[in-house]
Amino acid sequence: MPDEGVLQLDGVTKRYRDVVALDGVSFGIRKGEVFGYIGPNGAGKTTTIKIMVGLIRDFTGTVVVDGHPIPADVAAVQNILGYLPQKAAFQEWRTVDQALTTFGRFSGMSRADLNGRIPQVLEVLGIPETRHRKIVDLSGGTVQKVGMAQALLHEPALLVLDEPMSGLDPSSRFQFKEIFKHLRDQGTTIFFSSHILSDVQDIANRIGILNHGRTLHVGTFDQLEARLEMPKEVEIVLSREWNQQLDPTVLERLKGIDRLGPNRLLAHVRPDSDLDETIDALIDGLRRSGSRIRSIRPVVPNLEELYVRFVGGEGE
């Protein structure tokens, strides 16, 4: 069974006639966790999200948000959940203030609370000057920020975000990630899908990988790396050209050493060797051979490399 938490999916299946969009999807998200949801286009990420927020109701399996079953208790969930769709949609002839007021009222906020909260969230997102401007006059990236503002407006316990940083420039993406980290530290639970895997690696505590409607992996980055049994490597940079040999006690821990340049080496660690002990042995062996070490570090694959290998092999 998945972990109990703020959000729980168990055996969720969704069919469109003969097409299986989701096939027994199960996972749980804990309070205060940032959960990154990744997978190829058409994998079923947006379908999962629409089920979670109550927009799709004809599915099998169970979805529970903070003790409330979906879709039976959608009205109760709306007060604790903030949702940003893949493309924020507003009536373009309305002002930002009018649009946010409408969404805030849907979430149960009073007009008095909204008068104080709207300028606050716009300030957090760096767009306070847009409050009385019409949506039609805003850039795509600014509309995305207004969409995030409506998701944050009622201070939800759970944020469900579909590609929240899509279309944002690097500065705005950094801003969003800092906001997410701050919310996480305050105890907000965040579920977000993204095709920008570096963003997922930067802020997600755990990762869910979806492909062809099936969950291939739910866990931490380290668990994914361990599951794939990626080769262990150590990059070494010396202060001058290296023309020495390592003693046999160090070499027996390695599968070999590649020379990447006059003073750069890549040591391939045997799978049965402890990485930390091997790095210590390398440092000791290099110093005894007369080499001066400028830097030494394990080569860690990024999420994109792990994802490509994992999805390419269907998680095997």
Side-chain angles (χ1 to χ4, degrees):
M1 287 290 292
D3 300 323
E4 293 296 331
V6 174
L7 176 66
Q8 191 75 28
L9 283 79
D10 187 12
V12 174
T13 298
K14 170 61 182 173
R15 296 175 181 270
Y16 295 98
R17 295 186 178 179
D18 296 331
V19 177
V20 180
L22 296 178
D23 186 7
V25 170
S26 299
F27 59 83
I29 304 178
R30 308 177 188 98
K31 178 179 172 57
E33 184 173 56
V34 179
F35 189 94
Y37 200 46
I38 62 178
N41 291 336
K45 300 187 299 297
T46 295
T47 298
T48 307
I49 288 173
K50 287 183 176 180
I51 288 173
M52 287 163 47
V53 302
L55 293 177
I56 293 176
R57 303 189 177 201
D58 56 332
F59 63 92
T60 59
T62 60
V63 179
V64 180
V65 178
D66 200 27
H68 301 283
I70 295 291
D73 287 353
V74 168
V77 169
Q78 286 178 342
N79 293 329
I80 59 176
L81 183 148
Y83 169 51
L84 176 64
Q86 190 168 12
K87 185 176 181 181
F90 299 98
Q91 294 172 311
E92 294 189 340
W93 52 269
R94 307 187 81 189
T95 66
V96 169
D97 185 79
Q98 291 168 338
L100 293 181
T101 297
T102 298
F103 280 103
R105 296 291 288 163
F106 284 153
S107 299
M109 299 182 70
S110 69
R111 292 189 182 276
D113 288 341
L114 285 165
N115 284 335
R117 182 63 177 159
I118 287 173
Q120 186 179 42
V121 293
L122 293 178
E123 183 68 40
V124 166
L125 290 160
I127 52 170
E129 74 287 351
T130 65
R131 182 175 182 180
H132 298 292
R133 292 177 60 187
K134 290 184 177 181
I135 302 292
V136 71
D137 296 327
L138 305 179
S139 68
T142 302
V143 172
Q144 186 77 350
K145 290 184 178 183
V146 175
M148 180 60 69
Q150 68 81 22
L152 296 174
L153 202 56
H154 57 298
E155 300 181 88
L158 169 65
L159 279 171
V160 177
L161 314 171
D162 195 356
E163 297 283 356
M165 290 172 275
S166 178
L168 297 180
D169 60 35
S171 176
S172 296
R173 280 172 48 208
F174 176 81
Q175 179 189 31
F176 269 42
K177 286 188 283 188
E178 291 301 299
I179 291 171
F180 295 161
K181 291 174 185 176
H182 176 70
L183 290 168
R184 176 195 62 197
D185 293 343
Q186 290 183 321
T188 302
T189 306
I190 301 173
F191 174 100
F192 77 105
S193 70
S194 180
H195 67 277
I196 307 172
L197 301 190
S198 59
D199 290 340
V200 177
Q201 186 170 353
D202 284 346
I203 61 175
N205 303 109
R206 287 195 304 145
I207 301 159
I209 300 179
L210 189 74
N211 197 23
H212 300 306
R214 296 181 293 113
T215 42
L216 301 184
H217 172 81
V218 176
T220 65
F221 177 87
D222 289 343
Q223 288 169 340
L224 176 60
E225 184 181 4
R227 183 172 173 180
L228 286 173
E229 298 181 345
M230 297 292 284
K232 295 182 285 188
E233 298 172 329
V234 180
E235 183 185 52
I236 306 152
V237 179
L238 305 174
S239 61
R240 56 178 178 266
E241 186 171 354
W242 189 67
N243 293 305
Q244 306 294 324
Q245 295 294 324
L246 291 172
D247 61 66
T249 60
V250 177
L251 290 174
E252 68 185 14
R253 299 174 179 271
L254 305 176
K255 293 193 296 181
I257 295 180
D258 291 335
R259 191 162 186 154
L260 305 180
N263 63 335
R264 289 183 65 233
L265 309 173
L266 184 66
H268 304 276
V269 181
R270 292 187 180 279
D272 57 348
S273 295
D274 181 274
L275 184 60
D276 292 332
E277 290 180 0
T278 301
I279 289 175
D280 284 342
L282 276 168
I283 292 171
D284 185 56
L286 287 166
R287 293 182 65 181
R288 283 191 281 107
S289 72
S291 299
R292 297 179 63 185
I293 302 168
R294 183 170 294 165
S295 68
I296 185 167
R297 67 176 185 87
V299 178
V300 179
N302 60 34
L303 180 57
E304 183 171 356
E305 292 168 328
L306 294 179
Y307 168 81
V308 169
R309 177 169 172 174
F310 196 70
V311 172
E314 287 292 302
E316 295 179 1

